[in-house]
Each structure stands twice: as C-alpha cells, then as structure tokens.
Amino acid sequence: MASPIRALLLLLLLVVIGLNPYFTSAEPPAPPVRCNVTGCVLSNAYGAWGDRSECWVRSVVYPTNEEELRSAVAEANRNNLKAKVVSGFSHAIPKLACPPPENSVLISTAKYNTRIEVDVAGRTVTADSGVGLRDLIDKVEAAGLSLVASTYWEGVSVGGIISTGSHGSSWWGKGGAVHDHVVSLSMVIPAGESEGYAKVVRLRQGDPLFNAAIVSLGLLGIISQVTLSLEPSFKRSITYSFHDDASFEDRLLDVARKHEFADLTWFPSQRKVAFRFDDRVPSNASGDGINDFIGFQPSLTAVSAAIRATEKRYDESRNIRGKCVTAAAELGYRTLAGNGLKNNGIFTGYPVVGRQGKMQTSGSCQHSPEADSLSMCAWDPRSKGLFFYETTAIFSPPKFMDFIHDVKQLRDLKPENFCGVDNYNGFLIRFIKKSNALLGQPEDSIVLDFNYYRADDPSTPRLNQDVWEEVEQMAFMKHGARPHWAKNRRVAFLGVHQKYPGFTNFLVAKNQSDPGGMFQSPWWDEVVSGQGSTTGYGCALEGQCICAEDKHCSPSKGYLCRPGLVYKEARVCRYTTG
C-alpha cells in the first residue's frame, strides 16, 4: 500500500491531470433507461438506488410534445396501468421515478425538450418539461435576461427541478428555490372517459392546485410546461474567504443577509470554513469569468478509478491517516484553484466576475461534442470511480446552530474521523427561503449537504460508519431537519409527514388530481407514507433502518449497534474489538 505521502503526491497529480477540462472532454452520461426484449431498467446517474435493487418496467414511451404526453397518460389510464415520469438525466437518489414492476409504464421527457420561448417584455420564459437547465439558461441570457435561481449542478431538467424542490442558495427576493420563481405551469393528469382519459390543466399562482403542483414529486401528474419569471441581465462577483472554523456559525445569518447568493463550505477535520461572498453586480461590470466547479469537471476514467481504489484500500484497512492526507490535499487544491472559478479561462484571483448564466450553475463533465470514453463525470458508474452517499438536511436556523455545536463536540473527540467527508467537499451550507409550496420549506431555512464513502458491496461496513450515522440522526431525529426530497437515505424520511405543515393539504390535492393513484409509487408507499419496514440483517449499513439490534449491523465484521457518543439516543453501527 502507498504511504500517505505517496498518496498525497498521487492525488495532486491525478487532480491536476484529471480534473482540468483543458486536458480532456467528457463522455456524456449514459441514458437512465436501458431496454432489451424483456423490458427496461431505470437507474439513477450514480448507478445504484438506496436499496441496491433494480427498477424494472415493462415499457417506456418518449413523447415529443404535449399532445403526445397527454396521449401517453391517457393510454396508460385506459389500460389501468401505473405510470411514472423520468427525465433524460435522473439525478434523484431515491426511487421517485420508479413505478411498480407490474402493470406499469415509464414516461420519459428526454425527447420532450424543444420549446424554450422567452417573453422579453413580460420577463418570463416558457419551456418544455424535459428541457435541460443549461439550454434554458443560455437561451434566456441570449435574450438579455437572467434566471435568478438555479441548482448548482446543471444536468437537470426543468420539470425535475420543479418537482423535487431543487434549489441554489439565497434568502433574497423570491429566494434560491427554482419552484418559487414559477409563474404558471401545465400538468397532464388522469381524466374520465368523457375527457379522453387524460387532460392538460393550466395552473397559475392563486389556483387551488398550484402550491401542490410546484413541488409534487411526480405524484399529481406529469408537468408538461413551466413558465418562470426572469430579471434584466446581471453579473455576479464571487470571492472565497477561508477562515478558522471557531464560532463560524455565529456569522451565518449575517452572511446570508449581506450577500445575495452566499454559501459556506465547512471542512471539519481541517478546522477550516470557506465563506463564499457572492453578490449581484451590474451587467456592465468588468469581467468575463465562469464557474466551472472542480467536482463537476471532466475526470479521466483511469484517474477516477485510481482515486476510488485508493479510498477503498484506506477504508478496508482502516487507514484513517491516509484519508486525512488526501483530505488536506483536496482542500489545498481547491484553495489554489479557486474551487473552479476562472477569470478569462484560468483562475487568477478574486473577485471572479461573470455573467449570471455562467456563474450560477456548472457541469462541464456532462458536455462533449462526441463520445470520449477516456473521461466522464467522476461518479459515472461506467468509470468505476467515486461512489458515495449524499445527505441533505434542511434546518430552522436556531436548530442548525445547535446541530453545529453537536457536530463540533463529536468532531473534537477525534478530528481525524471526519477526514472522510472532507475528501468530498466537506459540509456545504446554503440558504433557502420560506415557500408557499405545500412540500416546500415552511420557513427561511439553512441547508446542509455532505457526501461520504459508500462501499461497493451493501454488506460491507465502512470506516467511521458510526460517525456519519450519528451526524445523520442528529440532524433528522434530534434537531428535526427536513430531508431534501431528491436526496438522502431511507432513514432521513422517517416521520417526514410531520415536518411539513402543508403535508395534509398536499394529500388532498394529490387525491383530487389523481384519485385512482395512477402516479403513486412504491417509494411513496414505503417511505413517505410509512408503509412497510426494513429490519433485516445488515439493514443499517446502507441507511435502510436505524439499528436496534447487533444483527442490523455486521457482527461478524466487528460492527455492533451502540449508542451515539454525543447524541446518546442515536443508535449506530460501531466497530469494536471487544
């Protein structure tokens, strides 16, 4: 095994060669649906669902316009089939798009992506549900306008963004959630025989179904078209400022109020925090920068595989020191490279100023004029590269402060135990405004995202598994955080219906729009509605349950169910030699 110093040098070399788009273009991600003569399999972009099982469907249809979409829903309804919708991207981690395996059909919007109409005078844009975010933004910017809110990752569809409550970061104006900038939308829902078994409903702000439809998880029907509000074109100025993490939580609210698009990244094992001071500036401000976030740049497949192999060796040999060396190297490189920000092609220093459309979102690893199997997104399963969990918890501000204090206590017991998360960009902290959406955020909130190692085999425990289980349970159980609908492991959704004041009204709207449950999914039944449970051997290893007995962990490999170290009510799988 390589020594930590050799691993550091290797990582630095691999990062410089593999993550710089000037060295390589990327192969576009594979389609999420693969079919053969027996049927089709739906996967997400990471190649594995939370429960590791396949999502099998008998058939998939690809409408290209609204009438074809309506006809697809009508045909399914006429034949008493269940239906779910999937985009051409499929970055949702839970099985939101997976229908029951029998008597069902999958409806893809991958080819329903041609209409993007900008109304310059009215400052709106109307797009088909399957339109990709980057295509939408480029069309809007070309018309001299800007979309204010977007996700950080641009490989998503308009319909997918709206349906899952996806967001950027802002407490200003209408906020950082894209669905809060929706002016109107069209949705295809089931109907009776007299209406042709399916119909298109047009919803605007103030309509009874509107606040349910803008974050609907594909449960009310299929979003057909979306109209979003725009603003006059503007630029953004971004500066990262790195500090010691002592009392950084005391500055959070002030940063969010002073900087329109601010966020923070906390590297707990390194005791560092990066404040992103991100502000709107006039469109005539000097600068032509872009945001090409390092984690979303193309990576040589050999590099991704080598990094994964190194991390896997460290994990399986319980080499915490090795993970800490690579975590320090990761932070060092991100600091030197401005985290992917570029002034006129390369990073030359702060501030980086550029047009809103080039600064608000990124994803260069998904774009290529032709296939290049040598490079792709680092998490693309074809590369056998990065493979990780993603936890996203949404807090009320006071509870978030308490959560940070708890995490710091846990970190201070043994800081090196947190090196694993710092290999994956640490803790990203963002801000999302109160929403009128029934499944949106009921208050101005703080969002925490963090990624961490996932084993190739679901029965394999992970190094410091108990730490991440305790952090997860601190967030969702002790401090009442709400889960992001399109992320998280199963345990994050326990009791979720009690955390959204609009949940009951959403159920009413769901039953009104889809009384026969045509769009209901097994994921909804099993996770959100609380039907069914997973309590088998090893169920806690992948977040399918919270351990209550040793058998829920991996006793044969030394992992037993134990209380948390700081949050004593937590139950975690901890490695023990005794």
Side-chain angles (χ1 to χ4, degrees):
M1 180 183 302
S3 71
I5 297 301
R6 287 177 62 193
L8 170 59
L9 295 174
L10 172 63
L11 179 63
L12 287 174
L13 176 62
L14 296 181
V15 166
V16 171
I17 294 176
L19 295 181
N20 192 323
Y22 287 101
F23 284 91
T24 181
S25 59
E27 180 175 2
V33 184
R34 305 184 308 279
C35 298
N36 57 32
V37 294
T38 63
C40 303
V41 173
L42 170 68
S43 64
N44 59 23
Y46 311 103
W49 301 105
D51 60 3
R52 301 277 185 151
S53 66
E54 285 192 336
C55 175
W56 186 90
V57 292
R58 189 169 298 278
S59 63
V60 58
V61 294
Y62 292 89
T64 63
N65 56 50
E66 189 172 71
E67 175 52 30
E68 290 181 6
L69 179 60
R70 191 205 66 80
S71 295
V73 174
E75 183 68 14
N77 192 23
R78 183 183 295 110
N79 291 286
N80 295 314
L81 300 178
K82 299 289 186 181
K84 294 302 293 181
V85 63
V86 64
S87 74
F89 300 96
S90 190
H91 272 86
I93 292 173
K95 286 184 172 177
L96 301 179
C98 186
E102 301 295 335
N103 300 317
S104 62
V105 62
L106 195 63
I107 300 174
S108 172
T109 62
K111 298 181 181 179
Y112 182 32
N113 60 355
T114 56
R115 183 189 182 195
I116 307 175
E117 295 182 358
V118 180
D119 178 352
V120 176
R123 293 181 183 172
T124 62
V125 59
T126 300
D128 292 338
S129 178
V131 165
L133 178 59
R134 172 48 59 193
D135 291 338
L136 178 79
I137 288 174
D138 288 349
K139 191 71 174 286
V140 166
E141 291 283 325
L145 298 170
S146 289
L147 179 69
V148 176
S150 72
T151 54
Y152 281 21
W153 164 249
E154 65 186 43
V156 287
S157 69
V158 171
I161 295 171
I162 303 305
S163 296
T164 57
S166 298
H167 59 88
S169 181
S170 183
W171 277 352
W172 290 37
K174 296 178 181 179
V178 183
H179 61 264
D180 288 324
H181 295 256
V182 173
V183 175
S184 62
L185 61 83
S186 300
M187 179 177 286
V188 180
I189 64 173
E193 181 179 2
S194 63
E195 295 182 285
Y197 291 98
K199 62 183 179 181
V200 179
V201 293
R202 316 285 185 189
L203 303 174
R204 298 187 61 84
Q205 293 177 0
D207 290 338
L209 283 177
F210 182 83
N211 288 338
I214 51 177
V215 182
S216 58
L217 310 181
L219 293 166
L220 270 64
I222 300 178
I223 292 176
S224 168
Q225 295 177 351
V226 177
T227 299
L228 295 158
S229 62
L230 305 173
E231 295 190 14
S233 179
F234 62 92
K235 289 185 175 182
R236 275 161 72 165
S237 174
I238 300 179
T239 295
Y240 280 100
S241 182
F242 291 82
H243 300 271
D244 182 273
D245 71 356
S247 302
F248 80 90
E249 61 272 25
D250 296 339
R251 297 183 58 189
L252 282 173
L253 302 186
D254 186 56
V255 169
R257 290 165 182 152
K258 287 184 176 179
H259 302 279
E260 183 172 4
F261 304 105
D263 70 28
L264 299 89
T265 307
W266 180 29
F267 303 93
S269 74
Q270 310 299 303
R271 299 183 182 273
K272 296 293 182 182
V273 61
F275 290 85
R276 187 169 101 171
F277 302 132
D278 190 342
D279 300 287
R280 183 186 306 222
V281 294
S283 59
N284 61 357
S286 177
D288 191 26
I290 64 170
N291 174 17
D292 187 15
F293 173 62
I294 287 175
F296 298 160
Q297 292 176 9
S299 177
L300 290 172
T301 54
V303 170
S304 296
I307 291 175
R308 171 66 180 183
T310 299
E311 184 180 27
K312 184 177 178 180
R313 286 196 299 272
Y314 288 159
D315 207 84
E316 293 178 348
S317 64
R318 308 192 58 78
N319 186 345
I320 297 177
R321 185 185 174 203
K323 287 204 172 189
C324 289
V325 169
T326 55
E330 180 76 11
L331 177 58
Y333 177 69
R334 289 177 184 272
T335 303
L336 289 172
N339 212 26
L341 292 173
K342 297 174 181 178
N343 325 70
N344 300 313
I346 60 173
F347 176 65
T348 59
Y350 299 116
V352 178
V353 177
R355 296 180 63 85
Q356 163 72 346
K358 298 297 185 182
M359 299 289 277
Q360 67 188 121
T361 188
S362 61
S364 59
C365 69
Q366 69 170 340
H367 299 295
S368 178
E370 60 183 26
D372 174 11
S373 60
L374 292 178
S375 60
M376 55 187 65
C377 297
W379 58 86
D380 192 308
R382 296 171 298 178
S383 73
K384 301 186 183 302
L386 303 186
F387 188 46
F388 50 85
Y389 297 107
E390 183 166 3
T391 292
T392 300
I394 307 173
F395 299 80
S396 67
K399 291 185 177 180
F400 183 74
M401 305 308 173
D402 294 336
F403 168 79
I404 292 296
H405 293 155
D406 281 349
V407 173
K408 282 187 171 181
Q409 286 186 54
L410 183 60
R411 185 270 313 271
D412 290 344
L413 294 177
K414 194 173 183 181
E416 56 267 36
N417 283 350
F418 278 75
C419 288
V421 77
D422 287 347
N423 279 292
Y424 289 91
N425 200 43
F427 289 119
L428 175 63
I429 300 168
R430 295 183 285 174
F431 306 95
I432 185 170
K433 194 171 183 178
K434 178 180 179 180
S435 174
N436 290 324
L438 298 180
L439 295 186
Q441 301 313 311
E443 60 186 329
D444 289 354
S445 302
I446 299 175
V447 184
L448 179 87
D449 298 89
F450 63 100
N451 298 348
Y452 45 108
Y453 178 87
R454 187 177 187 184
D456 293 341
D457 187 288
S459 65
T460 300
R462 292 164 291 111
L463 178 63
N464 298 325
Q465 171 154 330
D466 62 310
V467 171
W468 305 117
E469 289 178 349
E470 184 167 352
V471 171
E472 186 177 47
Q473 291 176 46
M474 279 178 179
F476 296 109
M477 313 311 171
K478 181 178 181 180
H479 297 293
R482 297 174 293 276
H484 189 299
W485 293 109
K487 301 179 182 178
N488 293 300
R489 310 189 315 164
R490 178 171 179 161
V491 296
F493 294 97
L494 295 175
V496 68
H497 59 284
Q498 300 172 353
K499 297 179 178 181
Y500 284 88
F503 196 89
T504 299
N505 289 337
F506 178 81
L507 293 181
V508 171
K510 173 182 173 296
N511 292 334
Q512 177 185 341
S513 180
D514 181 23
M518 177 179 177
F519 293 103
Q520 193 143 325
S521 68
W523 179 82
W524 177 263
D525 292 337
E526 295 171 7
V527 178
V528 180
S529 296
Q531 298 177 17
S533 60
T534 301
T535 57
Y537 285 92
C539 63
L541 297 180
E542 294 252 293
Q544 295 298 298
C545 74
I546 294 174
C547 72
E549 305 175 53
D550 289 342
K551 71 176 184 178
H552 297 153
C553 299
S554 182
S556 64
K557 296 179 181 178
Y559 283 77
L560 306 178
C561 188
R562 294 292 183 261
L565 298 175
V566 171
Y567 175 37
K568 301 298 185 180
E569 289 77 11
R571 290 297 178 267
V572 300
C573 295
R574 181 173 296 120
Y575 179 75
T576 175
T577 57

